[in-house]
Amino acid sequence: MTKKPKILAIDTSCDETSAAVAVGTTVLANVIASQVELHKKYGGVFPTIAKQAHQQNIKPVIKLALSRAKTQLEQIKAIAVTQGPGLAPALEIGINEAKELAKKNHQPLIAINHLEAHALSVLAQAKKRSSINLHRQKKRLPLVFPILSLVISGGHSQFILVNQIGHYQILGSSLDDAAGECLDKVGRMLNLGYPAGPVIEELAKKGNQQRFHFPLPMTQSNNYDLSFSGLKTYARNLIEKLENDHQINKQLIFDFCASFQNAVFKHISYKLNKILFDRKKTSPQRKITEIWIGGGVAANASLRKEIRTIAKQYAIKVQVPMSKRICSDNAAMVAVLAGFKYLQKDFISNPRLLDRRPNWPLTQP
Ligand code: KG4
Ligand code: ZN
């Protein structure tokens, strides 16, 4: 049996500088230096500032990850790095660091697609037995495909059919904004700061989601694509009207957040239901065995509830990442995926030539 390799992974795709060490799917350390405070005043990620911060943080973050994993660099079997998609100047820092480390220590280099890492992020397990994934961990249940993975983040919203690890089919994607991006933009209209997704989740808990009625997008289209820009425009017009009518007060903001968040998640669950319904009719012999969710928005309890409600109707189990840190950008998910790639010897043949792929689609090799 091949021994599971110990892998050091780096992710600098957006505004978190992250390094992690994993053995197979077991995460020994996952260090994340967040730049949220730096980007707050711009209401979004400012690429040059992200690059500078990655440059400052990368070496200390790697050092800390190795020390938390009680690992020497020489014990690392391969270096993995996010090659894309992401912000080009940000990706560059992680890639350069990975190349340098791999060269210095004669380790193979593994290039990872950030979306693939999010799509498989539920596989990451804590070293100490945590409550999450305990079921699978305890019984060592094998994975049964196909699995439907939802990546719902600030950059992407996709329904991905996982036929095998490494074999994906995109069933539907957002045609415009990603769900997290839409939450962030509407949150900005309400001066909720950046990123607004988690703030909206908190405020929504005090609100009445029935107070404002948003349209349900794309119900007429016979596909599984998503579109959030109509909801965003509807929200903008409604906020303007409420401002003009001097109706904005604390409770109204709570109600607005609850109603808007509900509209975003209902759109996702409507399309999820369509996928499961159609599949039951057309491919009953290749039933979806599990639903996985990943990406920053997957941390949201209301979204999880919404997805579980739909999945239950089809008797399908929903798996979520072991912690919120594994939902948003992190290198642990990169290290875990790299573990599979290592076993397939999927190494970069000429590391010197490894370059960023800011728009790398999941289905392209
Ligand atoms: O996965 P991620 O960290 O970065 C990307 O790859 O995009 O996702 C960030 C997004 C942001 O839009 C943020 O507002 C959203 O995830 N987010 C949330 C929550 N936590 C983060 N959205 C809703 N509820 C949350 N609890
Ligand atoms: Zn991400």
Side-chain angles (χ1 to χ4, degrees), residues 58-115:
I58 190 80
K59 286 191 195 296
V61 160
I62 291 172
K63 199 171 162 203
L64 187 57
L66 287 168
S67 117
R68 284 197 185 154
K70 298 186 175 50
T71 299
Q72 306 293 319
L73 204 44
E74 301 74 52
Q75 296 169 284
I76 294 290
K77 291 283 178 260
I79 310 283
V81 66
T82 297
Q83 191 184 6
L87 295 173
L91 289 165
E92 185 188 336
I93 304 301
I95 292 175
N96 286 346
E97 188 65 28
K99 281 182 188 175
E100 197 184 306
L101 283 173
K103 188 173 172 204
K104 206 162 102 191
N105 300 287
H106 309 287
Q107 286 139 335
L109 195 58
I110 301 174
I112 295 292
N113 182 305
H114 182 80
L115 270 174

Side-chain angles (χ1 to χ4, degrees), residues 178-200:
E181 185 182 3
C182 174
L183 289 165
D184 291 343
K185 284 179 176 168
V186 171
R188 197 175 168 184
M189 296 172 202
L190 295 168
N191 297 318
L192 300 181
Y194 173 83
V199 182
I200 292 180

Side-chain angles (χ1 to χ4, degrees), residues 243-257:
E243 270 170 355
N244 289 339
D245 296 348
H246 303 287
Q247 284 193 43
I248 305 237
N249 57 38
K250 242 181 175 176
Q251 189 57 49
L252 183 136
I253 301 272
F254 298 156
D255 295 345
F256 191 97
C257 286

Side-chain angles (χ1 to χ4, degrees), residues 110-171:
I110 301 174
I112 295 292
N113 182 305
H114 182 80
L115 270 174
E116 186 178 4
H118 271 308
L120 306 186
S121 58
V122 302
L123 293 174
Q125 294 174 343
K127 190 179 171 210
K128 291 195 196 95
R129 291 193 340 165
S130 74
S131 55
I132 299 93
N133 270 350
L134 199 58
H135 183 57
R136 189 190 301 287
Q137 211 171 348
K138 242 184 183 172
K139 300 195 170 171
R140 299 193 184 283
L141 298 178
L143 295 174
V144 182
F145 297 99
I147 287 164
L148 179 66
S149 183
L150 277 63
V151 175
I152 315 286
S153 71
H156 298 89
S157 300
Q158 291 195 322
F159 295 109
I160 301 161
L161 192 69
V162 184
N163 289 312
Q164 278 294 328
I165 290 178
H167 296 268
Y168 310 102
Q169 190 186 344
I170 309 291
L171 301 183

Side-chain angles (χ1 to χ4, degrees), residues 218-286:
M218 310 258 295
T219 50
Q220 301 304 316
S221 62
N222 195 22
N223 59 36
Y224 311 124
D225 286 333
L226 299 158
S227 168
F228 296 97
S229 68
L231 282 175
K232 185 182 63 187
T233 308
Y234 193 92
R236 179 181 292 119
N237 293 338
L238 184 56
I239 292 169
E240 268 171 27
K241 184 179 175 310
L242 294 166
E243 270 170 355
N244 289 339
D245 296 348
H246 303 287
Q247 284 193 43
I248 305 237
N249 57 38
K250 242 181 175 176
Q251 189 57 49
L252 183 136
I253 301 272
F254 298 156
D255 295 345
F256 191 97
C257 286
S259 306
F260 178 67
Q261 179 183 266
N262 181 51
V264 169
F265 296 164
K266 277 278 180 301
H267 177 35
I268 296 170
S269 68
Y270 178 89
K271 291 289 176 157
L272 172 65
N273 185 52
K274 185 168 168 56
I275 291 174
L276 300 178
F277 181 82
D278 289 353
R279 215 174 155 85
K280 199 172 160 187
K281 266 198 321 197
T282 58
S283 325
Q285 69 289 6
R286 286 201 75 230

